[in-house]
Amino acid sequence: MVSKEKERASRVLMKSALGRGSVDAVSQQMASHPQYLESFLRAQHYILHMDGPLPLPCRHYIAIMAAARHHCNYLVYLHSAQFLRLGGDPLWLQGLEAAPPRLRLLDHINKVLAHQPWLAACSHIKTLLKCGESCWSLAELVQAVVILAHCHSLCSFVFGSNADSGHPAPPSKSPNGTPPTLCPINIMSFGIDRLKFPKRTQIYFETSGRCLFFLQQFTVIFFCFFSDVEEDDEMMCFADPSRFVTDPDFDYQDFARRDEDHFQVFRVQDYSWEDHGFSLANRLYSDIGHLLDERFRSVTAVTSPHGPELKRAVWNYIHCMLGIRYDDYDYGEVDRLLERDLKVYIKAVACFPDPSRSSARPLGWAPLKTSERIHVNLLIMEARLQAELLYALRAITQYMVA
């Protein structure tokens, strides 16, 4: 079984490398759970690269806006490079004020979904859909919301798993005039001759005495540089994420039920992913519901020595912190199954995945093995993704029936 899992991980990473010329650090982390990794990469590829109402450069710019809310340098740089590679206007990377009005209109919903998603309201949707020449269509808005939620939740995974530990904010100039490495990649040495890369992509090779995933005699570690990025554009890649952020003091606040005119608990029995969100997303953005649903199912299907009870406790605890509750769940299970240190860790990763606001990264939960810790981070990411989507899609539904 271990051998088959490693073979599956190798195939997934090789497929990813074939498609992009690189395998990012996030995929390396997820490779210990190859079935989930497949569903994640399939959904991410569809969102960012396949048919949809939004132009490809705009998708990556929206991803930059989302990652910037959590000061995730790793994702801001990655999507900036892709934005330029796809023909995006370099001037937009000077900051949010340089972007077209249409994209700037997403700033408020981006801020709300990133930090206090329970504030998402029908009025926000109306503003985006009824703003004259800069208005959005429903299909465009759903895709934009999916990108925002995807990147916000991915920031949590990057932060919790140290996926960007080797990639701090890049310097304004690299020694050889090319951008620093996007991602170190570990793949099977015997498979390197099968990889096909863009003509203008520079590949650097280095042999290592150990292999992280495939137990070969040595690993080829290569670094992918986008050498076709012009020098001036390269400088844009290293823009401070704060350039894409307004109202920087707006952050997560503990959700608390107040009177009926304030923040009411979101009850899944009234609006759920399975009964409401899935169908609306799929209707307005073809096939995305199926791909997201596959992610949610894959992460809960990962084998865990702690059983399904712990998985559900982690999932429901995150949703509870974001104001979502299940009437058929005994929340006493959360306190019984989740130790205090683990709850502190989950809250930090889910609600404060921002290195600029944290003196240190959250510590890994000691009793868990590395693959189990990654699984917890995947649960955090997917639970947060679903929570943001539920709030956004509910607001869109309210607008449509108003």
Side-chain angles (χ1 to χ4, degrees):
M1 288 295 293
V2 172
S3 177
K4 288 182 178 179
E5 285 294 285
K6 287 173 180 174
E7 289 177 6
R8 184 171 191 171
S10 73
R11 289 196 301 271
V12 174
L13 290 181
M14 286 285 286
K15 187 175 181 181
S16 179
L18 283 165
R20 298 184 298 173
S22 63
V23 180
D24 58 271
V26 166
S27 295
Q28 289 186 60
Q29 290 276 343
M30 295 179 183
S32 57
H33 303 294
Q35 182 176 355
Y36 170 80
L37 175 57
E38 285 185 84
S39 64
F40 172 85
L41 291 177
R42 191 178 297 114
Q44 180 171 256
H45 182 73
Y46 184 82
I47 292 167
L48 295 173
H49 301 289
M50 299 298 286
D51 290 343
L54 292 175
L56 297 184
C58 286
R59 301 183 199 185
H60 287 281
Y61 197 84
I62 293 169
I64 293 168
M65 293 171 61
R69 282 306 317 183
H70 293 308
H71 287 81
C72 184
N73 290 302
Y74 177 82
L75 292 179
V76 168
Y77 173 69
L78 187 65
H79 287 288
S80 296
Q82 289 291 325
F83 172 79
L84 293 173
R85 203 173 177 216
L86 291 166
D89 188 343
L91 293 178
W92 294 10
L93 296 184
Q94 291 180 352
L96 191 58
E97 71 283 351
R102 245 172 132 249
L103 287 172
R104 294 202 304 270
L105 280 171
L106 284 178
D107 180 59
H108 187 76
I109 194 72
N110 177 33
K111 174 181 70 174
V112 165
L113 290 178
H115 305 295
Q116 299 178 37
W118 54 86
L119 294 179
C122 176
S123 59
H124 301 144
I125 306 303
K126 184 177 181 180
T127 297
L128 289 163
L129 298 177
K130 302 287 186 180
C131 50
E133 295 181 358
S134 300
C135 70
W136 290 71
S137 70
L138 270 173
E140 290 173 330
L141 182 56
V142 169
Q143 185 176 26
V145 162
V146 169
I147 294 171
L148 291 174
H150 167 78
C151 290
H152 293 155
S153 59
L154 188 54
C155 287
S156 286
F157 183 84
V158 170
F159 181 65
S161 63
N162 286 329
D164 63 340
S165 58
H167 307 276
S172 60
K173 206 68 171 175
S174 52
N176 59 357
T178 60
T181 64
L182 283 180
C183 41
I185 305 147
N186 297 271
I187 61 170
M188 295 178 295
S189 59
F190 61 81
I192 193 67
D193 59 327
R194 287 179 285 172
L195 296 178
K196 304 296 182 183
F197 299 97
K199 292 181 179 179
R200 291 185 288 179
T201 299
Q202 301 176 4
I203 308 297
Y204 294 83
F205 300 94
E206 175 189 340
T207 59
S208 171
R210 60 195 179 113
C211 182
L212 296 181
F213 295 119
F214 311 113
L215 302 181
Q216 301 301 316
Q217 291 182 345
F218 65 91
T219 301
V220 177
I221 302 176
F222 64 97
F223 300 96
C224 174
F225 297 86
F226 290 117
S227 58
D228 55 337
V229 177
E230 297 296 331
E231 192 169 285
D232 290 342
D233 295 349
E234 172 194 337
M235 298 288 287
M236 299 295 184
C237 288
F238 310 128
D240 184 343
S242 62
R243 295 183 182 183
F244 305 95
V245 175
T246 63
D247 194 6
D249 294 329
F250 186 87
D251 208 341
Y252 174 81
Q253 302 292 326
D254 286 336
F255 180 89
R257 185 173 185 178
R258 297 180 175 86
D259 60 66
E260 293 300 316
D261 294 328
H262 287 77
F263 312 131
Q264 296 185 45
V265 169
F266 186 122
R267 298 200 176 278
V268 173
Q269 283 68 23
D270 298 329
Y271 196 97
S272 68
W273 167 254
E274 293 80 7
D275 297 331
H276 306 89
F278 171 87
S279 58
L280 178 64
N282 232 34
R283 178 154 59 93
L284 295 175
Y285 183 13
S286 180
D287 292 330
I288 194 60
H290 293 291
L291 291 167
L292 293 172
D293 199 58
E294 184 184 9
R295 282 178 59 173
F296 300 146
R297 293 177 185 275
S298 294
V299 77
T300 55
V302 171
T303 302
S304 171
H306 302 280
E309 294 82 9
L310 181 66
K311 297 179 192 177
R312 191 174 185 193
V314 171
W315 189 280
N316 288 358
Y317 178 54
I318 295 163
H319 277 198
C320 183
M321 288 188 293
L322 298 174
I324 299 174
R325 292 183 71 89
Y326 297 76
D327 288 345
D328 60 352
Y329 183 71
D330 177 9
Y331 284 88
E333 292 288 285
V334 171
D335 292 329
R336 186 177 69 83
L337 294 170
L338 305 184
E339 296 181 7
R340 182 182 181 278
D341 287 347
L342 180 55
K343 290 172 70 175
V344 170
Y345 174 83
I346 291 171
K347 184 172 184 178
V349 174
C351 304
F352 301 100
D354 188 340
S356 72
R357 294 180 180 272
S358 176
S359 58
R361 290 183 177 277
L363 298 175
W365 193 45
L368 292 181
K369 297 178 181 179
T370 300
S371 64
E372 295 167 356
R373 221 165 24 240
I374 291 173
H375 183 211
V376 170
N377 286 327
L378 293 177
L379 284 168
I380 294 171
M381 176 173 67
E382 293 299 328
R384 181 181 175 185
L385 170 64
Q386 189 180 96
E388 288 192 29
L389 289 174
L390 284 174
Y391 278 113
L393 294 173
R394 185 181 68 169
I396 291 174
T397 298
Q398 291 171 342
Y399 167 82
M400 293 174 67
V401 300

